[in-house]
Amino acid sequence: MKEKVVIVTGAGSGIGKVVAKQFGVSGAKVVCTDIKGAEETATEINNEGGNAIGLYLDVSSLDDWKSVKDKAIQEFGEINALANIAGISEAVDIVDLEEDDFDKMININLKGTFFGMKVVLPEFLRTGAGKIVNIASLAAHVGLTGLPSYSASKGGVIAMSRQVAVEYAPKNIQVNVVSPGIIETPILANNPPEVTQAFTDATPAGRLGKPEEIANMVVYLASEEANFVTGQVIKVDGGWGSK
Ligand code: NAD
């Protein structure tokens, strides 16, 4: 990723933070974005010898996206890759799910991914290349208890990514999805402990995944080593999705 400019959403915590740091180690110029913690992640990358900036981005705001795109180009000249990692999760039975909470889930997890692709694709067309890596979830592949809106949002991410991948493949733009299993990050705090334990027990590998194990796949898919890989949905889930 040497000298490549990559925007990472959700870079303030969990998987996104580790993804941003791994991009930093790989030599990329990293635009860390989040509603909180992006600048701290950028500072850590810079202190470790990398090159990063931190910017506020609420992924559900198109105005925020446009501003981040402009600032990234102002700072680093162009954009070569986008890693859409930001997301929220909520465990609730569909009968008890409030309309506002459903809308919030879709606005952040699905519309946020749509906005990111909408904003960077013209820049990729201008430079003649580009990579997008979107994050879905095991919940989009198998029925997990209590995650109706989350599962719907991630299923939408997969369907939209496939469509964009096929449409933009002739333009040398690759779009792929990583579907994590259950990964040790702060997002799990939103689940009751018994749910997290059940997830662990259900994972064939017998353990939760680590953010680094997702980041490895994201960085690979954003690199030129993956130039012929597009429209793929890659599960990194300790085997759960293959049961
Ligand atoms: P996390 O809570 O640690 O990180 C999510 C980040 O997204 C946070 O920094 C948060 O501030 C940011 N965020 C929330 N709303 C935002 C918004 N409107 N705009 C911009 N940023 C916003 O969670 P994580 O586990 O690191 O999750 C990262 C991604 O991985 C999410 O898309 C999540 O759905 C997905 N995922 C996680 C797991 C898991 O087990 N941890 C499993 C499958 C998929």
Side-chain angles (χ1 to χ4, degrees):
M1 294 299 294
K2 203 156 180 51
E3 300 302 313
K4 298 288 184 192
V5 181
V6 56
I7 297 176
V8 180
T9 74
S13 170
I15 295 169
K17 179 167 186 161
V18 176
V19 165
K21 293 188 79 166
Q22 267 185 230
F23 275 127
V25 169
S26 77
K29 298 171 183 171
V30 192
V31 181
C32 302
T33 71
D34 204 309
I35 50 172
K36 54 178 191 287
E39 286 187 12
E40 285 83 346
T41 301
T43 301
E44 285 177 35
I45 292 171
N46 290 326
N47 288 345
E48 288 159 17
N51 189 359
I53 57 170
L55 299 174
Y56 179 89
L57 168 69
D58 176 346
V59 293
S60 64
S61 160
L62 188 54
D63 284 345
D64 279 8
W65 269 108
K66 288 177 179 165
S67 154
V68 162
K69 175 191 175 173
D70 290 346
K71 285 180 188 155
I73 293 173
Q74 213 178 337
E75 182 75 20
F76 293 132
E78 60 183 27
I79 302 165
N80 307 115
L82 167 65
N84 273 315
I85 316 290
I88 57 169
S89 163
E90 183 192 24
V92 59
D93 188 281
I94 193 164
V95 173
D96 301 320
L97 178 60
E98 300 292 342
E99 184 178 354
D100 284 352
D101 292 334
F102 181 86
D103 289 346
K104 184 179 176 193
M105 185 72 67
I106 297 299
N107 282 339
I108 295 175
N109 290 6
L110 181 55
K111 198 164 80 175
T113 302
F114 153 54
F115 281 162
M117 295 200 284
K118 174 180 170 66
V119 164
V120 299
L121 281 167
E123 171 64 7
F124 290 175
L125 291 173
R126 189 184 70 78
T127 60
K131 308 269 188 194
I132 297 173
V133 185
N134 294 325
I135 292 286
S137 169
L138 177 67
H141 303 274
V142 301
L144 296 183
T145 309
L147 298 171
S149 56
Y150 182 76
S151 303
S153 70
K154 295 301 191 177
V157 166
I158 290 174
M160 184 168 53
S161 301
R162 272 208 197 97
Q163 189 281 322
V164 178
V166 170
E167 184 129 18
Y168 283 83
K171 308 288 185 188
N172 193 29
I173 293 166
Q174 292 79 38
V175 183
N176 292 288
V177 178
V178 176
S179 275
I182 312 303
I183 311 300
E184 282 174 30
T185 73
I187 209 171
L188 293 185
N190 297 331
N191 295 335
E194 61 273 19
V195 172
T196 301
Q197 186 57 50
F199 286 165
T200 308
D201 295 343
T203 303
R207 65 171 176 86
L208 302 180
K210 299 184 189 321
E212 290 75 11
E213 293 173 307
I214 305 303
N216 290 340
M217 183 57 73
V218 173
V219 173
Y220 163 71
L221 290 171
S223 78
E224 297 203 344
E225 288 176 25
N227 278 351
F228 204 51
V229 182
T230 198
Q232 299 307 302
V233 183
I234 302 180
K235 296 178 199 138
V236 182
D237 64 357
W240 186 339
S242 303
K243 285 206 287 186

